[in-house]
């Protein structure tokens, strides 16, 4: 969007200077490779060139932004791992990402973190806490996929987090998954039964 | 008067499960009974009939709208365990006009933290002194506050603002 607006608002000459900046020079190179005969200031393929450039630039921006935000969240999670009073940093950044980009963009990052750090119980607990704040329809389909992956986590507090997410979603379709959950701790059995009762009566 | 505090339900269950407070996990102390200036934050109401206003004040002091669990003590509990109260610090809530429902339990020492743990352990398990509010009910309560014109936007925590906007538009 930023790229498209800039192209529309600026002259082609100014855009040429802009795209030659280090960030976009490789995209320009790739795009020129597709259109070897095209010069930015003229030529019949200029519209197609701009479209391809724009698409590639957006992809690149997406990758850069995703990497930057993922690293930020991982740093937040490392602080949370040391002190769970530090959850607010992770919470604030996840809220900002969802608000600045989209919940689905946040979801992509959360899924990546889940895949890479699945063994880290504290990270997974934080992911569950994050999911609790969103309604089910906001995080479909990736939210339920994460929950299905985490429900059999070996750590009881991750399981607790998963049950808490399901309770917040109040989704009856998840009842079979909860009923099949095997827990030994009495406090967790009590909580699980409460949530099952709640969903049944919802 | 009753004194209400939000607590994580499962942590209360874990306290209840211990045969004595000596067996309560250290993590629970840190997670639920972290003091600031030797104080623990509570919210009060005259009696159980006006509990809803207090719950709304607590919900609007949070950073998100979620299923929430609350416990409360009454004056006899406060006397039994010897808790000291200070009502002078206004609560940080977006429920306008209800900031004065906030009350601090003060003077926490190692022994007093133990007394608080004991008070939690001895809370009746039949839910006569605890209540869970589902996420949907929490949303309805917040919608009531919005519709009554008592939402103080400026006092909302930044992280809950998007959630409040969604409730407003639902």
């Amino acid at each position: 969007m930023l790229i498209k607006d800039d192209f529309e608002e600026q002259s082609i000459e100014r855009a040429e200077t802009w795209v030659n900046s280090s960030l976009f020079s490789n995209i320009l190179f790739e795009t020129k490779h597709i259109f070897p005969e095209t010069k930015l200031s003229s030529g019949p393929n200029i519209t197609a060139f701009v479209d391809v450039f724009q698409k590639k630039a957006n992809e690149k921006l997406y990758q850069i932004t995703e990497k930057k935000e993922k690293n930020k969240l991982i740093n937040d999670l490392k602080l949370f791992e040391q002190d769970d009073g530090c959850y607010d940093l992770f919470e604030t950044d996840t809220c900002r990402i969802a608000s600045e980009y989209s919940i689905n963009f946040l979801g992509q990052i959360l899924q990546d973190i889940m895949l890479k750090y699945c063994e880290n119980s504290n990270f997974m607990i934080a992911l569950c806490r994050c999911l609790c704040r969103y309604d089910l329809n906001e995080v479909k389909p990736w939210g339920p996929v994460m929950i299905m992956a985490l429900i059999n986590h070996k750590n009881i507090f991750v399981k607790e987090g998963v049950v808490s997410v399901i309770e917040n979603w109040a989704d009856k379709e998840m009842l079979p998954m909860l009923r099949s959950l095997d827990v030994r701790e009495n406090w967790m059995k009590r909580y699980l039964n409460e949530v099952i009762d709640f969903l049944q009566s919802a | 008067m009753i004194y209400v505090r939000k607590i994580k339900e499962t942590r209360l269950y874990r306290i209840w499960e211990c045969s004595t407070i000596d067996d309560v996990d250290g993590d629970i102390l840190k997670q639920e009974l972290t003091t600031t200036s030797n104080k623990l934050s509570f919210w009060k109401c005259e009696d159980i009939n006006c509990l809803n206003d207090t719950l709304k004040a607590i919900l609007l002091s949070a950073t998100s709208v979620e299923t929430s669990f609350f416990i409360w003590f009454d004056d006899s509990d406060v006397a039994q365990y010897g808790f000291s109260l200070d009502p002078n610090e206004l609560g940080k809530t977006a429920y306008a006009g209800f900031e004065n429902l906030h009350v601090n339990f003060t003077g926490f020492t190692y022994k007093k933290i133990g007394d608080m743990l004991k008070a939690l352990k001895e809370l009746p398990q039949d839910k006569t002194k605890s209540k869970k509010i589902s996420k949907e009910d929490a949303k309805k309560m917040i919608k009531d506050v919005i519709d009554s014109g008592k939402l103080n936007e400026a006092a909302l925590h930044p992280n809950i603002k998007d959630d409040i906007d969604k409730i407003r538009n639902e």
Side-chain angles (χ1 to χ4, degrees), chain A residues 61-171:
Chain A
L61 265 184
Y62 185 93
Q63 288 165 7
I64 291 168
T65 308
E66 188 188 27
K67 190 176 177 186
K68 184 188 79 177
E69 298 294 2
K70 185 160 63 182
N71 287 340
K72 179 81 182 74
L73 289 186
I74 288 167
N75 284 336
D76 293 344
L77 287 170
K78 284 177 180 167
L79 288 171
F80 171 71
E81 190 179 21
Q82 290 160 15
D83 177 1
D84 64 15
C86 285
Y87 177 75
D88 54 344
L89 287 172
F90 179 71
E91 182 181 42
T92 298
D93 277 321
T94 51
C95 288
R96 178 185 53 75
I97 291 168
S99 182
E100 275 182 24
Y101 306 101
S102 71
I103 295 177
N104 285 337
F105 181 70
L106 172 66
Q108 183 61 51
I109 296 174
L110 296 183
Q111 287 173 89
D112 287 351
I113 292 173
M114 187 187 75
L115 289 173
K116 192 169 177 188
Y117 295 96
C118 193
E119 293 298 308
N120 188 320
S121 303
N122 288 318
F123 278 28
M124 297 307 108
I125 289 166
L127 297 191
C128 290
R129 279 178 72 172
C130 175
L131 285 175
C132 279
R133 73 179 306 127
Y134 298 108
D135 290 341
L136 176 60
N137 59 5
E138 294 178 290
V139 297
K140 263 183 174 173
W142 53 269
V145 171
M146 285 180 71
I147 287 309
M148 279 187 270
L150 288 175
I151 197 159
N152 289 315
H153 199 281
K154 60 187 175 189
N155 183 287
I156 187 64
F157 298 112
V158 176
K159 284 182 179 165
E160 178 199 2
V162 168
V163 175
S164 183
V165 174
I166 295 172
E167 181 180 29
N168 274 280
W169 286 347
D171 184 17

Side-chain angles (χ1 to χ4, degrees), chain B residues 8 14 25-26 31 47 65 72 74 76 101 137 141 150:
Chain B
K8 192 163 179 183
R14 286 164 66 194
D25 288 342
Q31 290 159 338
D47 55 52
V65 182
W72 57 86
D74 56 28
S76 65
L101 293 183
D137 286 343
M141 292 169 84
K150 288 176 181 164

Side-chain angles (χ1 to χ4, degrees), chain B:
Chain B
M1 196 74 77
I2 63 175
Y3 306 93
V4 187
R5 186 171 162 89
K6 188 174 161 183
I7 187 172
K8 192 163 179 183
E9 177 184 11
T10 46
R11 289 184 193 136
L12 185 62
Y13 294 168
R14 286 164 66 194
I15 293 171
W16 283 347
E17 206 175 283
C18 295
S19 47
T20 74
I21 60 165
D22 295 344
D23 300 327
V24 172
D25 288 342
D27 280 358
I28 292 180
L29 290 182
K30 182 170 181 306
Q31 290 159 338
E32 291 296 343
L33 297 175
T34 304
T35 56
T36 305
S37 303
N38 303 318
K39 294 181 284 191
L40 281 177
S41 179
F42 278 73
W43 296 76
K44 64 185 175 182
C45 56
E46 279 295 327
D47 55 52
I48 200 77
N49 297 318
C50 48
L51 181 63
N52 265 10
D53 277 331
T54 305
L55 298 186
K56 287 174 184 173
I58 302 176
L59 289 171
L60 285 166
S61 68
T63 59
S64 63
V65 182
E66 293 172 24
T67 302
S68 303
F69 190 83
F70 304 90
I71 57 97
W72 57 86
F73 300 123
D74 56 28
D75 282 319
S76 65
D77 298 317
V78 170
Q80 181 188 341
Y81 294 102
F83 295 132
S84 305
L85 310 183
D86 175 9
N88 293 320
E89 187 186 348
L90 291 178
K92 289 175 184 160
T93 178
Y95 193 17
F98 292 83
E99 299 85 352
N100 60 353
L101 293 183
H102 182 259
V103 58
N104 280 319
F105 279 36
T106 62
F108 275 93
T109 57
Y110 174 70
K111 180 186 176 304
K112 273 279 161 248
I113 290 282
D115 289 342
M116 178 56 73
L117 206 49
K118 204 180 289 178
L120 290 172
K121 175 153 176 53
E122 290 171 6
L123 272 171
Q125 299 193 19
D126 60 3
K127 302 206 169 166
T128 49
K129 285 188 176 176
S130 58
K131 181 170 184 163
K132 179 146 66 172
I133 302 288
S134 71
K135 187 174 189 175
E136 275 313 299
D137 286 343
K139 284 181 180 179
K140 283 177 194 161
M141 292 169 84
I142 291 171
K143 187 81 163 65
D144 283 347
V145 174
I146 295 170
D147 292 345
S148 65
K150 288 176 181 164
L151 181 70
N152 177 5
E153 296 267 356
L156 284 171
H157 189 284
N159 290 351
I160 203 176
K161 284 185 176 174
D162 282 353
D163 296 351
I164 299 294
D165 285 341
K166 280 183 249 168
I167 292 170
R168 190 182 277 120
N169 297 327
E170 270 177 8

